[in-house]
Amino acid sequence: MEKSNGQRVILFPLPLQGCINPMLQLATILHSKGFSITVIHTSFNAPKPSNHPLFTFLQIPDGLSDAETRTHDVTLLLTRLNRSCVSPFRECLTKLYQSAKEEKERISCLIHDAQWIFTQPLTQSLDLQRLVLSTYNVSFFHGHFVLPQLRRERLLLLQEQDDLVQEFPPLRKKDLSQILEEETELLDSYSDKILETTKTSSGVIFVSSCEELDQDSLTLARQDFKVPIYAIGPSHINFPAMSSSLFTPDDTCIPWLDKQEDKSVIYVSFGSLANMSVSELIEIAWGLSNSNQPFLLVVRVGSVKDAEWIETIPEEVMERVKAKGKIVKWAPQQEVLKHRAVGGFLTHNGWNSTVESVCEGVPMICLPFVWDQLLNARFVSDVWRVGIHLEGRIERNVIERVVRRLLLEREGEVVRERMKLLMEKVRRSVKQNGSAYRSLEHLVDRISSF
């Protein structure tokens, strides 16, 4: 770490796995640049302070019951959190600010997840600069504010389902249909507040995004938001952080991978939020087994509806699974994707997972479930052309065929070659004088100037 610069940055992550990781990654970067770090977090999905001994952690009550935190309705969960955290956050930040003044320590700014929508009046009253961090692809974050208008019009749904959505590329009409099925009034109101919170901030930080991945959307976002935008790229390449996983990874998958041939394994994981039915899990297990390729399948506890874990997979399938595959409850994903044995990634296309796969040059099979995953999958299959889209078909024959196409056939070789070129471009972006490197330098300078 560079010598302390006498400035403190306060971070406020959203308590979801895909939001905590990037925020703590940013904390690691800023600490390496000399900033002291304080993380304010909810008791729900609290990060482990022992994993980050150089940061100060302050926990606030979130007022949610166990039943409320178990909901699969993410919008409802986030709106409840935004309502219940206002007073505890105000009290915590005010005390922190007063304490810093007494000790003559300089608090540079607050950086919070873009989906916290209540912070502006408080930071304004404290005369504290406020930056927002988005864990979405730039294209989705910028484009999703048009959803309320598209929902009102509904005309798009009457047209060809394979057509592009002109107002929200590279989504297709059938993707938009799925997105618009999400809860309406609550979601639209929440999106409007996120947009307002973003436009009144001192800047937007996009983690894992860079010019090489999404240049057109970055240009549009700069025009529309009218605040500085920092696309700092997949900085975990240069700044490896301590684990911030809310789940305990099963490290036995690494020695298992060590025994497999190069580029032979299909890695399958659907992230920390996606849920599937018992029948979908069985189709996936059959398809993987029938492909006759080794596979590492992550089935998160509680991710299969009406099941505890994998007890619903028929014994016949489990026998085949044991012969060719391995099932774990959670995996150390970055380590898995780096492994020489992994030749493909069957993924839900969360943004973190998508970019991690790009960074390691692992081509993807796209099975998006909800929200921004649908757009990320279109980037993979239609824009970058570094993966194959399942188009929502969770059928054993389809999965068997696509695994074999990616790992064994000429089509897979072509996809792999394109992925290698994209990986090299993205990795160059975080090196000295690369686009993400320069953006990070501008961000550090800006925070230092507050």
Side-chain angles (χ1 to χ4, degrees):
M1 186 194 110
E2 296 178 13
K3 188 179 175 189
S4 172
N5 60 19
Q7 299 181 58
R8 182 169 295 277
V9 174
I10 301 167
L11 305 179
F12 187 31
L14 205 68
L16 301 177
Q17 180 70 79
C19 299
I20 292 172
N21 283 356
M23 188 68 86
L24 291 180
Q25 184 68 50
L26 178 62
T28 301
I29 295 168
L30 294 178
H31 188 265
S32 76
K33 302 293 185 182
F35 295 96
S36 299
I37 302 295
T38 294
V39 180
I40 300 175
H41 63 89
T42 60
S43 48
F44 168 57
N45 277 352
K48 297 182 181 116
S50 58
N51 285 347
H52 310 274
L54 299 175
F55 308 157
T56 301
F57 287 84
L58 298 173
Q59 181 169 298
I60 61 172
D62 50 62
L64 298 188
S65 67
D66 288 344
E68 286 173 323
T69 61
R70 283 196 299 268
T71 180
H72 293 313
D73 185 337
V74 178
T75 306
L76 180 60
L77 173 66
L78 297 184
T79 50
R80 280 173 174 164
L81 279 166
N82 269 282
R83 200 163 47 241
S84 62
C85 287
V86 175
S87 294
F89 181 79
R90 183 193 300 119
E91 185 179 337
C92 182
L93 184 61
T94 304
K95 277 185 184 172
L96 198 55
Y97 195 73
Q98 288 169 346
S99 172
K101 276 182 102 173
E102 289 165 10
E103 294 171 18
K104 295 187 169 47
E105 182 183 44
R106 184 168 149 208
I107 295 181
S108 294
C109 65
L110 167 70
I111 301 175
H112 65 81
D113 194 287
Q115 295 177 93
W116 287 121
I117 56 174
F118 62 81
T119 55
Q120 184 199 353
L122 176 58
T123 51
Q124 209 168 3
S125 69
L126 296 173
D127 197 23
L128 181 63
Q129 298 289 329
R130 178 177 63 83
L131 293 160
V132 301
L133 178 143
S134 173
T135 56
Y136 288 139
N137 171 330
V138 180
S139 186
F140 187 84
F141 186 74
H142 174 255
H144 88 283
F145 297 116
V146 80
L147 288 175
Q149 175 196 333
L150 295 179
R151 198 192 310 279
R152 284 191 297 272
E153 292 173 358
R154 287 280 180 179
L155 298 173
L156 292 161
L157 304 188
L158 304 175
Q159 299 166 16
E160 288 298 319
Q161 291 290 290
D162 276 321
D163 286 355
L164 276 174
V165 181
Q166 297 303 324
E167 299 89 340
F168 202 171
L171 281 179
R172 297 189 186 183
K173 303 284 173 60
K174 55 188 172 187
D175 304 323
L176 186 64
S177 301
Q178 283 182 258
I179 289 175
L180 293 182
E181 283 171 7
E182 298 280 320
E183 277 305 310
T184 55
E185 196 173 326
L186 187 64
L187 183 57
D188 289 351
S189 168
Y190 187 41
S191 291
D192 288 343
K193 290 189 174 103
I194 292 171
L195 180 58
E196 181 187 332
T197 300
T198 300
K199 287 187 168 183
T200 56
S201 72
S202 298
V204 188
I205 305 165
F206 285 101
V207 288
S208 295
S209 289
C210 57
E211 302 281 350
E212 288 73 7
L213 290 175
D214 209 358
Q215 185 173 22
D216 291 347
S217 294
L218 276 166
T219 301
L220 288 171
R222 289 186 174 108
Q223 290 169 0
D224 290 351
F225 295 153
K226 295 182 172 51
V227 297
I229 288 179
Y230 306 95
I232 64 172
S235 303
H236 68 271
I237 296 171
N238 290 341
F239 296 92
M242 293 292 290
S243 170
S244 51
S245 177
L246 299 171
F247 309 98
T248 304
D250 183 341
D251 293 322
T252 63
C253 57
I254 302 302
W256 180 83
L257 285 170
D258 290 341
K259 297 172 187 170
Q260 312 305 319
E261 293 180 13
D262 287 3
K263 303 282 187 286
S264 67
V265 176
I266 189 81
Y267 168 54
V268 186
S269 177
F270 303 116
S272 58
L273 288 175
N275 295 285
M276 69 183 76
S277 66
V278 168
S279 62
E280 287 171 336
L281 174 63
I282 292 171
E283 289 298 301
I284 289 167
W286 265 118
L288 293 171
S289 301
N290 291 343
S291 75
N292 209 32
Q293 289 297 118
F295 61 89
L296 173 61
L297 171 60
V298 177
V299 182
R300 197 181 75 252
V301 172
S303 65
V304 183
K305 296 164 191 165
D306 304 317
E308 180 57 34
W309 192 41
I310 58 171
E311 67 279 2
T312 54
I313 298 180
E315 196 172 325
E316 178 188 3
V317 189
M318 285 306 298
E319 288 302 317
R320 295 173 66 100
V321 166
K322 287 170 190 169
K324 289 299 286 187
K326 182 175 177 65
I327 302 180
V328 296
K329 294 175 179 174
W330 197 248
Q333 182 160 290
Q334 288 183 18
E335 197 175 346
V336 168
L337 289 170
K338 285 179 198 290
H339 200 285
R340 56 157 186 84
V342 174
F345 182 13
L346 174 48
T347 171
H348 67 307
N349 288 113
W351 187 235
N352 291 336
S353 292
T354 299
V355 175
E356 284 167 9
S357 201
V358 169
C359 287
E360 302 308 328
V362 178
M364 287 167 263
I365 298 171
C366 305
L367 184 58
F369 286 80
V370 293
W371 205 226
D372 66 310
Q373 299 164 14
L374 294 146
L375 179 131
N376 299 336
R378 288 294 167 208
F379 266 90
V380 171
S381 63
D382 299 0
V383 179
W384 307 326
R385 298 188 301 145
V386 294
I388 303 171
H389 205 304
L390 279 174
E391 303 293 352
R393 291 167 299 178
I394 308 180
E395 303 160 24
R396 64 188 74 181
N397 294 341
V398 173
I399 290 168
E400 172 191 351
R401 182 82 187 97
V402 80
V403 168
R404 296 182 67 80
R405 280 167 61 196
L406 187 65
L407 295 185
L408 301 175
E409 297 178 9
R410 173 62 186 157
E411 180 184 4
E413 289 177 27
V414 172
V415 168
R416 201 176 313 282
E417 286 162 12
R418 280 197 290 261
M419 177 60 99
K420 186 178 179 219
L421 294 173
L422 182 62
M423 173 192 74
E424 289 168 352
K425 280 169 63 178
V426 170
R427 282 185 163 268
R428 276 198 301 272
S429 78
V430 298
K431 290 183 177 169
Q432 191 157 10
N433 295 322
S435 69
Y437 180 94
R438 292 194 307 272
S439 196
L440 177 58
E441 292 294 298
H442 293 325
L443 174 64
V444 170
D445 290 346
R446 184 85 195 284
I447 295 173
S448 299
S449 72
F450 289 150

